[in-house]
Amino acid sequence: MTDIWAGLEAAFWLIVTLDSDLVEITLRSLQVSVTALVFASLIALPFGTWLAIRRFRYRRTAIAVLNALMGLPPVVVGLIVYLLLSRSGPFGVFGLLFTPTAMIIAQVIIITPLIASITHQAMRELWAEYHDLLISLNTTKRQRIMTLIWDGRRALLTAALAGFGRAIGEVGAIMIVGGNIDHATRVLTTAIALETGKGDFALALGLGFVLIALALAVNILIHSLSRTEQEGRW
Amino acid sequence: MSLALSKGVVKRRGKVILGPVDLALNAPDITIILGPNGAGKTTLLRVLHGVERLSSGALTLSKPDAQARQEQAYVFQSPIMLRRTVRANLAYPLELIGTAKPVIAQRVETWAERIGLADALDRHAPRLSGGEKQKLALARALIREPDVLFLDEPCANLDGRSTREIETLLKDAHLRGTQIIMTTHDLGQARRMASDVVFLLGGKVHERGAAGRFFVTPETPEAQAFLNGDIIE
Ligand SMILES: Nc1ncnc2c1ncn2[C@@H]1O[C@H](COP(=O)(O)OP(=O)(O)O)[C@@H](O)[C@H]1O
Ligand SMILES: [Mg+2]
């Protein structure tokens, strides 16, 4: 019990004094996950929307594959990315293993299916709702897509936030491909794992609070997005 | 605009649900498509508007297709609201055709006034009441001043007051030169509005004629039974 209290107190001071390790690790976490989010969104938002609107022969298959990819265990993604990037692997020459870039690649692979799937779901619903009206108004293809993107913007943002939430809290894959190297690839989740193992609960708890705060912020944003929808704001 | 359907057939999963139908409709009528549930009223209306593909047969319009579609509007049975404000819903059809902003603003005001939603312009359209949604859908359809207006049971599920308001708007639009083609299974509404009646049964045009004659001396026993309020297949 005293251990926990001492840890909580120390964690509190680490946060209020902006401990340099804590800040560095937090910023790296954000940098990796936000970069991964940007790339994943650039792929997943258009792809999910396209899947929702476009009818083509292997659409069902594509959706099934997408859902299967969403269920990939992150550790396995980490292992595969590790093999691809390791010195003897096909992309070994780039020397990316144990760099933030490797972690970004792993996170992009993990969250792209998630974002695409949520996007697809939301856009399919919207398209079913709007279809007859947009056809009747003789809209061009471009106008239809713009209308769906604009009216589905909250859903798209929600999908992206969900992806970010998954990325920032992920530990298995980035531990494998990043290596949790101090001042290089150590991020919130891997640092917590390490410090806990070492028995340094102060830093572990401090980082834990930061992680919880980030996760909460994401959920509050998602929640308030659905409120602006209902109230017709934004 | 005149519309002519010749030998129009619509099939779903191999089953004929409409046709073969031969039908010519001319301005400036108010044509009411009557018939029991499942007779094919909605399907026929969608075919005439060009949003339902014919399995066989042809639809001929007195104007080039692209232009004709621009000059038609359709009000769906359950109103489709864009997830936007009332104002944005009204502006939408005009924005699509590149109408100048000040003109849009002014027409939106006018129509909001006409449907009694002038104070609700900034409300979220999906949260309006059923009657308000239906009026908004109608105003949004009329805002481009279409040549032809299609309506699918515009007053189903509405109370007497909303029904009267909608009928008034329709008669006004008709006076301003819009040809109206609508389905209903409300006989009272048909009597109040129709100048021309198409009576559908089992996917076929069972009887067709001027309203004045149809309601007084229908030619077929089925139409007579329908007018009497009997249940027919
Ligand atoms: N998507 C569909 N698939 C199969 N049958 C349908 C479909 N839509 C309508 N139908 C059938 O087509 C017939 C005509 O339907 P509809 O045009 O909606 O009739 P109405 O509007 O007069 O009630 C009905 O028998 C209905 O069951
Ligand atoms: Mg119907």
Side-chain angles (χ1 to χ4, degrees):
Chain A
M1 239 357 236
T2 47
D3 263 12
I4 298 177
W5 273 117
L8 280 173
E9 200 183 329
F12 176 77
W13 285 113
L14 285 177
I15 293 171
V16 294
T17 59
L18 294 176
D19 174 77
S20 65
D21 274 354
L22 184 128
V23 170
E24 183 196 320
I25 292 170
T26 302
L27 288 180
R28 185 173 303 110
S29 243
L30 283 173
Q31 186 214 326
V32 168
S33 295
V34 168
T35 311
L37 175 65
V38 169
F39 282 105
S41 296
L42 284 177
I43 303 166
L45 297 181
F47 180 66
T49 305
W50 180 79
L51 263 188
I53 309 180
R54 199 50 209 257
R55 310 213 146 267
F56 57 98
R57 176 122 54 127
Y58 297 108
R59 183 155 162 267
R60 277 167 176 279
T61 317
I63 293 165
V65 168
L66 187 64
N67 288 331
L69 285 177
M70 199 165 55
L72 271 186
V75 175
V76 175
V77 173
L79 173 64
I80 293 167
V81 174
Y82 183 97
L83 292 174
L84 293 175
L85 297 184
S86 68
R87 189 129 332 141
S88 54
F91 303 104
V93 288
F94 299 113
L96 291 175
L97 201 59
F98 305 132
T99 65
T101 307
M103 295 153 75
I104 290 168
I105 292 171
Q107 290 202 339
V108 168
I109 295 173
I110 292 166
I111 67 176
T112 298
L114 176 71
I115 300 176
S117 178
I118 299 177
T119 301
H120 166 249
Q121 199 83 20
M123 291 312 242
R124 194 176 56 177
E125 215 171 273
L126 191 60
W127 178 228
E129 194 178 314
Y130 280 12
H131 177 272
D132 282 355
L133 179 66
L134 297 189
I135 300 292
S136 164
L137 285 169
N138 211 19
T139 47
T140 63
K141 197 184 239 173
R142 204 187 119 80
Q143 286 172 331
R144 278 173 219 170
I145 291 178
M146 294 313 287
T147 301
L148 287 174
I149 289 177
W150 179 246
D151 287 4
R153 64 196 181 281
R154 297 179 195 86
L156 297 182
L157 204 52
T158 302
L161 283 169
F164 178 77
R166 176 130 197 234
I168 196 95
E170 201 282 318
V171 56
I174 51 174
M175 183 78 96
I176 296 176
V177 302
N180 195 21
I181 301 164
D182 205 7
H183 302 302
T185 58
R186 185 159 300 169
V187 291
L188 285 168
T189 51
T190 56
I192 291 172
L194 179 75
E195 299 303 328
T196 305
K198 287 197 314 199
D200 181 354
F201 295 117
L203 188 53
L205 281 169
L207 295 165
F209 287 139
V210 173
L211 195 53
I212 289 171
L214 284 171
L216 270 180
V218 166
N219 278 303
I220 290 170
L221 268 176
I222 290 178
H223 182 74
S224 61
L225 272 175
S226 72
R227 276 242 312 276
T228 64
E229 159 103 62
Q230 286 163 24
E231 290 166 11
R233 289 185 280 122
W234 183 58
Chain B
M1 191 181 315
S2 63
L3 303 95
L5 185 60
S6 87
K7 299 197 179 64
V9 175
V10 176
K11 287 186 194 168
R12 286 267 172 73
R13 298 190 203 105
K15 221 181 102 214
V16 174
I17 62 170
L18 182 79
V21 169
D22 285 286
L23 188 64
L25 298 172
N26 294 300
D29 282 331
I30 296 186
T31 302
I32 302 267
I33 301 172
L34 273 179
N37 276 331
K41 303 183 293 294
T42 299
T43 309
L44 175 60
L45 204 62
R46 290 172 62 95
V47 163
L48 292 171
H49 182 43
V51 293
E52 181 84 52
R53 279 247 294 283
L54 284 166
S55 307
S56 65
L59 176 69
T60 319
L61 308 174
S62 59
K63 288 184 178 169
D65 274 12
Q67 186 193 350
R69 287 293 301 281
Q70 208 74 270
E71 294 174 4
Q72 295 181 357
Y74 192 108
V75 177
F76 295 91
Q77 178 164 3
S78 48
I80 303 173
M81 295 287 102
L82 295 171
R83 299 179 187 177
R84 303 182 180 190
T85 59
V86 171
R87 184 193 309 280
N89 266 275
L90 285 172
Y92 186 73
L94 296 175
E95 286 167 358
L96 290 177
I97 54 171
T99 308
K101 283 229 162 66
V103 178
I104 294 182
Q106 177 246 316
R107 281 213 219 165
V108 165
E109 292 285 335
T110 307
W111 276 100
E113 200 79 49
R114 276 187 197 155
I115 58 174
L117 288 179
D119 295 330
L121 276 170
D122 293 311
R123 279 175 63 195
H124 195 49
R127 284 161 73 88
L128 297 173
S129 75
E132 289 168 332
K133 280 182 188 168
Q134 195 59 268
K135 279 186 279 183
L136 177 54
L138 178 57
R140 189 181 56 196
L142 286 170
I143 204 162
R144 276 188 194 171
E145 294 172 352
D147 272 9
V148 186
L149 176 64
F150 297 95
L151 304 109
D152 195 5
E153 313 242 0
C155 301
N157 315 317
L158 295 189
D159 62 17
R161 182 161 154 234
S162 300
T163 300
R164 195 165 57 237
E165 285 170 349
I166 286 186
E167 288 181 4
T168 306
L169 287 164
L170 289 178
K171 283 182 177 152
D172 286 350
H174 184 243
L175 286 178
R176 280 196 300 273
T178 297
Q179 175 184 359
I180 291 174
I181 303 169
M182 65 189 263
T183 71
T184 184
H185 61 231
D186 174 354
L187 273 175
Q189 177 163 63
R191 287 204 166 89
R192 290 190 296 275
M193 303 286 296
S195 61
D196 174 36
V197 175
V198 174
F199 179 62
L200 276 189
L201 198 59
K204 296 203 171 75
V205 176
H206 199 72
E207 189 170 335
R208 164 78 195 274
R213 205 252 330 130
F214 178 83
F215 288 117
V216 182
T217 52
E219 283 165 359
T220 59
E222 290 81 2
Q224 181 65 61
F226 183 76
L227 290 177
N228 289 344
D230 297 342
I231 295 166
I232 55 171
E233 293 297 319

